Amino acid sequence: MEISHIISFIVSTVLIINILLAAGVLFFERRDIGYTWAWLMVLFFIPILGFIVYIFFGRKLTRKNFYRLSIEERSVLQSAVEQQLAAFEKEQHPPLLEAYSDVVRMNLISSHALLTYHNEIAIFNDGEQKFKALFDDIRAAKKEINIQYYIIQPDTLGQKLRDELIKKAREGVKVRVLYDEIGSKKLHPRFFKGLHDYGGEVEVFFPSLLRPINFRLNNRNHRKLCIIDGDIAYIGGFNVGNEYLGANKKFGYWRDTHFRIKGAAVNYIQGRFILDWHQAGKHKRINYNEFCFNAENHKGHLPVQIVASGPNSEDEHLKNMYIKLITSAKRSVYIQTPYFIPDTSFMDACKIAILSGVDVRIMIPNKPDHPFVYWATWVYAGELVKYGAKILLYENGFLHAKTLVVDGEVASVGTMNIDSRSFRLNFEVNAVVYDQKIAEQLQEMFHKDSEACQELTPERYKARSLVIRIKEGISRLLTPIL
């Protein structure tokens, strides 16, 4: 057989295999059509190698009973939701909660996010303040510390956290640490050896079979939670690393937002930790009664829902909640996000709000940490500028906050970015607060941050260079899989 025939046979075989692989993606995985077409482009233009990339980045997660809940556990959860729905219909509510009762119901039905009424919240937007408070609470712990972070760096801050946890484990406090392997890629398992020596437990979310090879690169646990004695919980955008204290010269000052919550909502943050811990755990399942749940009467008055979302669900709970809040706005929508790469439904919600006369302001960093993401963000920001949105480019370091404030009445703070990765690929969690005082505090922080911003005006966006336009064009093609 001539060499040309052999080459032709190999090429034909590769193309046939590639078509079959592409057909599998198209017909057997029901996904957003933009996401499907983006992967088809990869498969057709990079034969075989594209499918290898898909194995690592594109596969759907098996959703059936992802958290391995027993029939009894699922029944108890569903019963709690149904009972609260029935009670919510009958009870009298404060005017603000009544105004957002449809959002409460949607979160209950969609995400099983039970509403808690008796909470108090402190807001942190500076790393030094947040970690000082966290370390003080860790030192005061008496029974149990449960920590979950997407990123734990083995640097000065990471070592300080570890050493504080070792001290508490030595005192007999139960310590559990859960981290994401890809987010914490610099972290070696030996980092927590001292904690293990005193009975501390450490688990890794979706670990690699072999450390350099991980088939779940796309589905990462992006949550940041800390629960102490079942009484105090932290939730928000800060990870653990020196850069979150503003110590990285590349990023400069790190602007983020985090809640410290006391009250009934802590039990549901604890419940979220338990689910992730059991999913990641290599050891025996832990009984729920082995965890701290605080049943005491709380003095706070803030209504809070803890809403989680992830690729284990068909519904994009957090994105849908944002859309619902944006389209219900009467006066203002303030968004802070490090990445703004929304899908069509989110963009339409913003446009509808703007065209309805709502003051829509979106603050993004003017400093890229991922170039493709940065230029894709400009594409969508520029489109909303044409409709009348106020796009603010944060100049005082890096903006990493993930906040939404609607009409100065309801607010969401958590881990979700405005992009496809957070909408449907990562495991995320936000706290939603139905309280004017908290919403106004966050809105005031937004106004303060605005002083360190430049506005992306229609004139400025139109005047961007050809090079920037090309970068935007390329990045936009990749947005469904960024």
Side-chain angles (χ1 to χ4, degrees), residues 206-217:
F206 278 173
S208 307
L209 295 175
L210 298 171
R211 188 157 175 84
I213 302 173
N214 193 304
F215 292 107
R216 284 293 173 197
L217 289 174

Side-chain angles (χ1 to χ4, degrees), residues 237-479:
F238 282 105
N239 286 294
V240 179
N242 291 343
E243 62 266 37
Y244 300 95
L245 301 177
N248 187 310
K249 291 182 180 179
K250 175 184 176 183
F251 296 112
Y253 180 72
W254 193 277
R255 170 65 179 86
D256 220 321
T257 304
H258 223 85
F259 277 166
R260 178 186 184 270
I261 301 177
K262 289 194 70 175
V266 175
N267 287 342
Y268 297 100
I269 298 174
Q270 183 85 293
R272 177 51 50 191
F273 174 87
I274 292 171
L275 289 175
D276 286 344
W277 180 266
H278 282 169
Q279 207 291 322
K282 305 181 199 131
H283 312 298
K284 70 179 181 68
R285 286 172 62 86
I286 301 172
N287 224 312
Y288 277 74
N289 59 21
E290 294 178 35
F291 283 78
C292 285
F293 286 98
N294 198 329
E296 296 177 6
N297 292 323
H298 300 285
K299 297 178 181 178
H301 65 280
L302 305 179
V304 175
Q305 281 181 299
I306 304 301
V307 184
S309 191
N312 59 303
S313 172
E314 291 285 351
D315 296 317
E316 298 166 4
H317 305 305
L318 283 168
K319 184 196 80 172
N320 292 341
M321 180 190 73
Y322 265 44
I323 288 174
K324 177 66 176 174
L325 285 169
I326 290 168
T327 54
S328 67
K330 300 295 190 293
R331 298 182 300 278
S332 63
V333 172
Y334 287 8
I335 294 173
Q336 288 181 310
T337 178
Y339 318 118
F340 188 72
I341 313 176
D343 61 9
T344 301
S345 62
F346 196 97
M347 284 291 284
D348 286 345
C350 291
K351 291 173 183 178
I352 289 168
I354 295 165
L355 294 172
S356 301
V358 175
D359 178 14
V360 175
R361 303 185 185 197
I362 301 170
M363 189 179 297
I364 55 178
N366 198 22
K367 182 172 289 196
D369 62 339
H370 303 292
F372 282 117
V373 174
Y374 177 76
W375 293 116
T377 291
W378 269 64
V379 173
Y380 295 97
E383 187 173 341
L384 288 185
V385 162
K386 297 175 186 176
Y387 276 78
K390 190 168 186 177
I391 304 296
L392 299 167
L393 307 174
Y394 186 75
E395 301 279 356
N396 185 33
F398 188 71
L399 177 74
H400 192 250
K402 301 114 175 16
T403 66
L404 169 70
V405 184
V406 172
D407 289 344
E409 295 177 339
V410 62
S412 173
V413 167
T415 69
M416 188 187 78
N417 298 314
I418 311 297
D419 60 16
S420 294
R421 184 163 300 281
S422 278
F423 288 168
R424 60 171 174 255
L425 295 176
N426 283 344
F427 295 86
E428 308 282 1
V429 63
N430 280 39
V432 189
V433 186
Y434 304 90
D435 180 75
Q436 188 171 356
K437 184 177 178 182
I438 292 295
E440 287 178 348
Q441 277 185 258
L442 289 166
Q443 197 163 266
E444 182 57 35
M445 290 177 182
F446 188 101
H447 286 304
K448 183 68 176 175
D449 292 331
S450 298
E451 297 173 8
C453 292
Q454 292 185 29
E455 185 175 352
L456 181 62
T457 61
E459 294 76 21
R460 179 177 176 180
Y461 185 69
K462 190 175 181 180
R464 68 200 189 284
S465 69
L466 177 62
V467 173
I468 291 177
R469 292 169 190 259
I470 292 172
K471 289 178 179 178
E472 287 183 10
I474 295 171
S475 299
R476 183 167 191 171
L477 290 174
L478 298 173
T479 54

Side-chain angles (χ1 to χ4, degrees), residues 176-201:
R176 300 179 185 92
V177 177
L178 173 62
Y179 66 89
D180 184 271
E181 184 178 81
I182 300 302
S184 304
K185 56 183 177 292
K186 295 180 181 178
L187 197 65
H188 194 279
R190 286 197 301 269
F191 182 79
F192 286 110
K193 183 182 181 305
L195 182 59
H196 284 296
D197 291 343
Y198 289 98
E201 297 179 17

